[in-house]
Amino acid sequence: METEMEILQGIVGSVIFQNYDNGYAVLRLNCDNGQTVTVVGTIPLPSAGERLMVTGKWSNHASYGRQFEAEFLERMMPQTAQDILQYLSSRAIKGIGPKIAARIVNRFGDQTLIVMEKEPERLSEVSGISPTRAQAIGQTFRLQVGMRQLMEFFALHQLPAELAVKTYKLYGEAAVDLLYDDPYLLMDPILEAPFGAVDRFAIALGVSADDYRRVEAGILFELQYNLQAGHVFLPEEKLIAATAQLLGITQDDAGSGIERLLQAQQLVRQQLAGITVIYLWQMHEAEVYCCRRLKEFARTAYPAPAGLDRKLKKAAATGNVDFSPAQEDAIREAATCGMVIITGGPGTGKTTIVQGILSLYDQLGLKTLLCAPTGRAAKRLTEVTGQDASTIHRLLETGIEPRTGRLFFQRDSQNPLQADAVIIDEMSMVDIELLHHLFQAIRPGTRMIFVGDPDQLPPVGPGFPFSDMLRSGVLPAIRLTEIFRQAQQSLIVMNAHRVNQGILPELKNVKSDFFFIRTASEEQAAQTIAQLCATRLPKNMGISADQIQVLSPTKKGTAGTFQLNQLLQQHLNPPAPGKPEKKFGDYIFRLGDRVMQIRNNYDILWKKEDGTIGAGMFNGDVGTIVAIDSDSELLSVLFDDRTATYDFSELNELEPAYAITVHKSQGSEYRAVVFSAWNGSSYLLNRSVLYTGITRAKTLLVIVGREDVVNTMTQNAKVGRRYTGLKLRLQEKVL
């Protein structure tokens, strides 16, 4: 490899490859000396027609031959009308294709880019461009130019390229100056920046190890990071020790940083069970507010409605059921109490109670809203009750601030939900932050019904309010333990209860809805899972592949979700002539693939068949790719009744979903589940994961793998402790 640095100047002829995540690109550069060379490196958002001055070294790639590795570059926007036409025709600016580009350049010549930046309204002088579209093109152009400059700045300092987009939205053109003044502005939670990269950047700019900005950023990072582990607060001693270790500073320096943040009201210190703990201000507010509202709900009482016995009989007749004593007690509680908690395992009749309460409230003339944490759970609630149910986010009319990208809820204390009663299903999935936002939108006097199973996995977010509510012992709760006769016929239900009691599930019954297939190796387990989905279950059980969900405790390994998705894609949706696909990062997205939205994103647009347009897709939503348009760089996914459209740069929002982790399956129910029981850390191979996985199956469950793994999961009842104070607050034990 030649090591001498050189400088090349020229026009980008074509972009061969670009990675939107990290800014890496491969392009053909038409150099001023007449050569055309391949240039590789971190070159964010390159476009044909733009001029580059690239500093780097030559190398010889084993497969691709001689190429120029860019280490530094300077970008110069095209100057001549011909170069500008090539630049715009390459679809560098969203909304401009070759035909529109030709009209624009014909009208404005070599002044085109100046017009687009300074006087975008003049673009409406071009036929086919409305004033509204002209402004949109100008805004997009300014955003792209500014964002690309910021991406280059980030690349220079080895910061993730994708972070530039969020940073530019938050801080605009002043971003670079602001970051030179305080690099830890990048630790704003909305940016989701990796602390290590930001810290290296700050130190490179001359920030000292004990600089107050660095210390405070480290403290806030530790608390924010631990929210992801479910902790609402941290003991002060642990926070000091963790911060000191993270930053390589003394514990005194960390303690001083906490005092400054307390004075700035960014943190709250409190005594819980004799321990001094530290909250982020907003987490303390959420926990205190939720506790207060729960106590209000619990104190509210209503007189028994006239003819309650008759109304209960009508509710039973409407649902064609006979209520058990426990179910009838729950419905009577809902008639007279401001809140009721209904909890129990599978087959214990929670759904029957919800239907009975809905019938009763309908007879009382009460307006009842139904909701659940995920789209799948809301859809299932709609199916079993026959009434519309919504996700909590949609119920609260979630929005996003265009400039900052921050989340907000249109429903709050100033604009509350218009309801007499609210029923929340799958409460085990609701974290303290979401519950806080929901309670803010609930009017005083609204009846609250909480339904869930605390033995399932805890929420992904901080806290475990449903468990705290039950364990407090001070809120009205109905605990269902009787398994109804019909449910007793299901080995899925019975084995779920066995696992919950620490008893190994029955694995040898071959005439049921629950099967175990032992495999000798991880590779055999993966191949067996693929065969079950592709041929055996469709052929022998009449269950189509789209009704089967593969679950695994882990992403890793041959029988983990990452490699299983690749294998299942080969079997269920192989490549074919004329079938479009798009490679992005580690995945190939192909027309017809099952995919999952992996984070909440309130910007993604969707459209229903009736023409209704909205925005927002949520973590765990599963759909099917229905269109891939390489020309417009758009991919469309059908999620139940709405089609969402993704720009290719947004494909990091999606993952293949032929196989998903058990954690991602929470709140969902599938006709058939194939469970991979082969490997995983002790943190993942636990009873809650197995129990949750089993209870996702509606009519068939097949476990594939090792019996000892199933036994390990059954016996491992350890659930990571979460620091949360809601139970103590409900019990009024907080000092």
Side-chain angles (χ1 to χ4, degrees):
M1 179 182 294
E2 301 172 36
T3 58
E4 192 172 333
M5 299 285 284
E6 289 188 29
I7 298 176
L8 299 180
Q9 292 191 53
I11 303 293
V12 177
S14 61
V15 178
I16 300 169
F17 170 80
Q18 62 176 311
N19 186 314
Y20 294 97
D21 277 347
N22 57 26
Y24 181 83
V26 179
L27 52 86
R28 298 288 285 170
L29 188 70
N30 298 325
C31 299
D32 293 346
N33 61 10
Q35 285 183 299
T36 299
V37 302
T38 300
V39 178
V40 302
T42 301
I43 310 171
L45 301 177
S47 297
E50 68 174 318
R51 170 170 284 276
L52 298 181
M53 182 167 69
V54 188
T55 303
K57 303 174 183 177
W58 289 100
S59 67
N60 283 298
H61 192 279
S63 301
Y64 303 111
R66 195 166 187 253
Q67 56 189 26
F68 193 76
E69 296 183 354
E71 296 195 13
F72 307 99
L73 65 92
E74 181 179 346
R75 312 178 90 132
M76 295 154 279
M77 297 303 289
Q79 302 296 316
T80 68
Q82 182 178 351
D83 289 344
I84 292 171
L85 176 61
Q86 185 182 4
Y87 170 68
L88 294 180
S89 297
S90 70
R91 300 184 186 274
I93 307 300
K94 189 177 291 186
I96 300 180
K99 291 182 180 179
I100 294 294
R103 292 180 203 159
I104 293 174
V105 176
N106 284 340
R107 176 68 182 83
F108 300 110
D110 57 12
Q111 296 298 302
T112 295
L113 299 184
I114 296 174
V115 170
M116 289 175 62
E117 182 177 7
K118 307 292 186 184
E119 302 175 277
E121 67 278 0
R122 292 187 59 197
L123 294 174
S124 62
E125 298 171 16
V126 177
S127 63
I129 300 181
S130 67
T132 301
R133 187 179 180 188
Q135 291 292 348
I137 290 173
Q139 184 178 3
T140 300
F141 177 68
R142 289 192 298 272
L143 174 64
Q144 265 185 240
V145 171
M147 193 166 62
R148 194 162 59 177
Q149 291 171 346
L150 188 60
M151 289 177 83
E152 291 166 7
F153 174 74
F154 276 23
L156 179 65
H157 291 282
Q158 297 181 319
L159 291 167
E162 65 271 21
L163 180 59
V165 180
K166 295 178 180 178
T167 304
Y168 191 84
K169 282 185 178 181
L170 190 59
Y171 298 120
E173 295 178 358
V176 173
D177 290 338
L178 289 171
L179 293 178
Y180 270 119
D181 184 57
D182 184 1
Y184 292 101
L185 289 174
L186 288 174
M187 291 314 300
D188 188 302
I190 197 71
L191 298 177
E192 300 178 312
F195 181 81
V198 174
D199 197 42
R200 288 191 295 271
F201 166 58
I203 290 172
L205 293 183
V207 174
S208 63
D210 60 353
D211 186 285
Y212 75 94
R213 296 168 299 178
R214 182 171 186 258
V215 174
E216 292 173 14
I219 293 165
L220 294 174
F221 166 74
E222 284 290 350
L223 288 166
Q224 288 284 352
Y225 178 79
N226 277 280
L227 294 182
Q228 301 170 35
H231 301 307
V232 181
F233 60 79
L234 287 180
E236 185 169 15
E237 286 187 2
K238 289 195 173 187
L239 177 59
I240 288 174
T243 304
Q245 183 176 11
L246 173 73
L247 302 179
I249 59 175
T250 67
Q251 293 198 7
D252 286 344
D253 285 337
S256 298
I258 289 174
E259 294 299 333
R260 289 193 298 272
L261 289 169
L262 287 166
Q263 291 177 9
Q265 297 185 336
Q266 289 184 262
L267 303 180
V268 174
R269 175 187 280 139
Q270 193 146 26
Q271 293 289 317
L272 288 179
I275 300 173
T276 304
V277 304
I278 301 293
Y279 287 84
L280 290 166
W281 175 85
Q282 64 271 26
M283 297 310 301
H284 180 264
E285 180 187 35
E287 194 172 86
V288 170
Y289 184 83
C290 287
C291 177
R292 177 169 67 80
R293 292 306 304 273
L294 284 167
K295 288 180 177 179
E296 287 177 6
F297 298 141
R299 284 195 298 265
T300 304
Y302 302 92
L308 179 56
D309 290 340
R310 175 172 45 82
K311 288 179 170 61
L312 287 174
K313 289 179 181 178
K314 184 176 179 180
T318 301
N320 194 26
V321 296
D322 291 322
F323 296 130
S324 70
Q327 289 175 325
E328 187 171 308
D329 287 345
I331 301 171
R332 287 182 181 276
E333 286 270 321
T336 58
C337 296
M339 70 165 285
V340 180
I341 301 172
I342 301 167
T343 183
T348 57
K350 297 191 297 294
T351 299
T352 300
I353 293 175
V354 171
Q355 291 170 324
I357 292 173
L358 281 171
S359 176
L360 174 65
Y361 284 173
D362 185 56
Q363 294 176 64
L364 295 175
L366 302 179
K367 180 182 178 182
T368 306
L369 295 177
L370 298 175
C371 62
T374 67
R376 286 276 176 153
K379 182 182 178 184
R380 188 177 62 177
L381 188 57
T382 298
E383 291 170 350
V384 299
T385 63
Q387 296 194 28
D388 287 339
S390 167
T391 64
I392 297 174
H393 285 89
R394 289 201 173 101
L395 190 69
L396 297 177
E397 299 176 23
T398 306
I400 200 82
E401 294 177 0
R403 189 187 69 81
T404 65
R406 295 187 190 279
L407 179 69
F408 72 92
F409 298 94
Q410 296 183 56
R411 293 290 184 176
D412 55 20
S413 58
Q414 302 303 311
N415 182 29
L417 295 166
Q418 300 302 304
D420 301 305
V422 176
I423 298 177
I424 311 172
D425 196 14
E426 296 288 352
M427 259 298 293
S428 64
M429 297 179 64
V430 179
D431 63 51
I432 195 71
E433 287 184 292
L434 184 56
L435 192 64
H436 177 215
H437 289 299
L438 177 61
F439 282 176
Q440 284 182 310
I442 301 293
R443 297 181 302 184
T446 304
R447 303 173 194 237
M448 299 296 299
I449 307 296
F450 304 97
V451 185
D453 182 351
D455 294 317
Q456 291 188 24
L457 289 167
V460 174
F464 197 170
F466 191 56
S467 176
D468 285 345
M469 289 159 61
L470 286 165
R471 291 188 300 116
S472 72
V474 300
L475 301 176
I478 303 293
R479 300 172 187 266
L480 305 171
T481 57
E482 178 187 356
I483 304 173
F484 286 89
R485 184 177 302 172
Q486 184 178 359
Q488 290 178 6
Q489 308 305 311
S490 168
L491 199 55
I492 292 174
V493 171
M494 300 310 293
N495 272 338
H497 285 276
R498 287 171 66 93
V499 167
N500 208 21
Q501 296 165 19
I503 303 170
L504 185 68
E506 171 59 58
L507 301 178
K508 297 180 180 178
N509 192 325
V510 295
K511 296 181 180 179
S512 71
D513 55 2
F514 188 111
F515 298 90
F516 175 73
I517 300 176
R518 185 178 292 101
T519 55
S521 68
E522 190 172 9
E523 291 73 17
Q524 185 186 357
Q527 290 296 331
T528 299
I529 290 169
Q531 291 164 11
L532 285 165
C533 296
T535 57
R536 292 168 63 175
L537 294 184
K539 181 180 178 181
N540 300 328
M541 306 290 286
I543 302 175
S544 60
D546 62 354
Q547 296 177 307
I548 304 167
Q549 182 60 62
V550 175
L551 300 180
S552 171
T554 181
K555 292 182 177 181
K556 299 178 180 179
T558 305
T561 60
F562 182 80
Q563 292 194 43
L564 279 175
N565 268 312
Q566 295 178 329
L567 181 63
L568 288 165
Q569 186 187 46
Q570 293 172 16
H571 280 77
L572 300 176
N573 191 28
K579 183 185 289 187
E581 59 183 45
K582 169 63 181 176
K583 187 178 190 309
F584 186 91
D586 294 326
Y587 304 117
I588 294 175
F589 294 104
R590 188 172 296 138
L591 184 69
D593 275 343
R594 186 191 307 174
V595 293
M596 173 181 282
Q597 174 77 24
I598 60 171
R599 60 177 65 87
N600 292 344
N601 186 321
Y602 307 93
D603 286 336
I604 294 174
L605 298 176
W606 51 259
K607 185 176 182 179
K608 292 185 177 182
E609 286 187 8
D610 63 7
T612 303
I613 296 174
M617 299 307 304
F618 301 97
N619 186 10
D621 288 345
V622 174
T624 303
I625 297 176
V626 293
I628 299 176
D629 187 337
S630 297
D631 290 337
S632 58
E633 297 192 341
L634 295 174
L635 180 147
S636 298
V637 181
L638 177 62
F639 294 95
D640 295 325
D641 62 344
R642 64 198 71 205
T643 300
T645 301
Y646 296 77
D647 187 275
F648 281 178
S649 63
E650 298 173 316
L651 294 184
N652 59 342
E653 302 281 332
L654 298 173
E655 283 185 359
Y658 297 106
I660 63 176
T661 62
V662 176
H663 284 80
K664 289 289 188 182
S665 75
Q666 283 180 272
S668 299
E669 187 176 66
Y670 313 97
R671 183 179 176 189
V673 166
V674 177
F675 188 99
S676 172
W678 188 267
N679 63 349
S681 67
S682 58
Y683 174 76
L684 294 172
L685 297 183
N686 64 53
R687 185 181 299 170
S688 291
V689 170
L690 180 58
Y691 176 77
T692 302
I694 292 172
T695 54
R696 299 309 91 199
K698 188 175 182 180
T699 61
L700 179 68
L701 179 87
V702 183
I703 297 180
V704 179
R706 293 160 39 195
E707 191 170 353
D708 65 306
V709 170
V710 178
N711 185 54
T712 296
M713 297 182 77
T714 303
Q715 300 305 318
N716 181 10
K718 294 180 181 178
V719 178
R721 179 188 174 190
R722 293 187 169 205
Y723 291 119
T724 165
L726 183 60
K727 185 189 81 166
L728 295 175
R729 294 183 191 282
L730 289 168
Q731 295 171 333
E732 299 183 344
K733 293 183 179 180
V734 179
L735 300 179

